[in-house]
Amino acid sequence: MAAVEWSAVFEAEARRRKVRPQPAWGSGAPLDPVVARSVRRFQHLPDELEDRRLLARLLETASRPGKSDVMSQLISDVLALGYYRALRDGTRDPVTVEVAARVFAGAERRLSYHVDRLRRQRIAASARWRAKAILETSGVLVGHGRALRRLGVPWLAFVTDAWARFERALAEVRRGPSIRPGPRVRARPRGLV
């Protein structure tokens, strides 16, 4: 099985972003004030993919990242997927839906990237990583629980989804040396080119 060339995946996405039309910003994006505050505070910004790619490449060139860093990034992206899915599916505003869908797709790509990195380093999840995932999930619920409820996602549904996604990612890490390129690597937001 051939290894995924992650720099090529991220560079292709950067090229796609340059030609993809911008969201219809002129129509506005009416957000519930609680949701708007939550989006402002959440740690994953829409333009973060390019920054993370550059920083990840720099760090990989300088030295091999520690398993702690990679697992922390994996956990953050698992939680970002749940958050931006709630934002995408919980609002009717087309601009908000489009932006959330694009960020969601970026988080999916990064999650696959982190799984691949952990797999190559042959790192197995420990009880410590699961505890960290629980603590980070609790932090999102404390900081963003009201917004998630306004978006129609009860805390139990968010936790269940995040935990299931985390366990699936860990199962993929245990599977083998590299993931196969395919739709999950090239995830696109629904309804976008």
Side-chain angles (χ1 to χ4, degrees):
M1 189 176 343
V4 174
E5 178 57 46
W6 285 105
S7 61
V9 170
F10 290 125
E11 287 166 3
E13 176 57 20
R15 284 190 303 275
R16 240 188 326 273
R17 283 178 176 222
K18 285 181 183 176
V19 298
R20 182 186 304 155
Q22 288 293 308
W25 298 115
S27 63
L31 282 177
D32 182 290
V34 171
V35 174
R37 277 193 304 277
S38 174
V39 170
R40 268 195 291 292
R41 286 189 352 245
F42 205 79
Q43 58 189 322
H44 290 76
L45 301 174
D47 62 349
E48 188 175 12
L49 176 62
E50 180 66 16
D51 296 342
R52 281 187 118 171
R53 183 189 65 80
L54 293 171
L55 289 173
R57 199 162 184 191
L58 174 67
L59 291 172
E60 283 180 15
T61 303
S63 66
R64 189 172 185 155
K67 62 184 179 179
S68 174
D69 299 338
V70 179
M71 188 61 79
S72 294
Q73 292 168 355
L74 181 138
I75 292 168
S76 293
D77 282 330
V78 162
L79 295 173
L81 283 167
Y83 182 84
Y84 286 108
R85 184 164 114 195
L87 184 60
R88 180 194 70 194
D89 297 347
T91 185
R92 292 191 175 129
D93 171 60
V95 174
T96 304
V97 169
E98 185 174 343
V99 169
R102 289 182 185 196
V103 176
F104 181 87
E108 277 190 322
R109 272 187 300 282
R110 287 190 308 271
L111 181 63
S112 295
Y113 173 61
H114 300 317
V115 165
D116 194 38
R117 288 169 66 193
L118 289 168
R119 185 181 286 163
R120 288 175 193 214
Q121 295 175 26
R122 301 190 188 291
I123 295 171
S126 64
R128 192 172 114 226
W129 299 123
R130 285 185 170 85
K132 182 172 177 55
I134 290 169
L135 286 173
E136 298 241 353
T137 304
S138 300
V140 170
L141 290 176
V142 168
H144 306 281
R146 283 182 57 205
L148 289 168
R149 281 191 303 279
R150 296 262 172 103
L151 293 167
V153 179
W155 71 269
L156 186 58
F158 181 83
V159 170
T160 303
D161 178 66
W163 193 257
R165 192 179 310 271
F166 180 65
E167 288 298 327
R168 279 193 306 270
L170 296 181
E172 286 183 31
V173 168
R174 289 188 295 267
R175 255 188 228 136
S178 182
I179 63 172
R180 284 172 257 127
R184 294 195 61 216
V185 173
R186 294 186 245 291
R188 285 196 184 103
R190 65 177 181 197
L192 295 178
V193 177

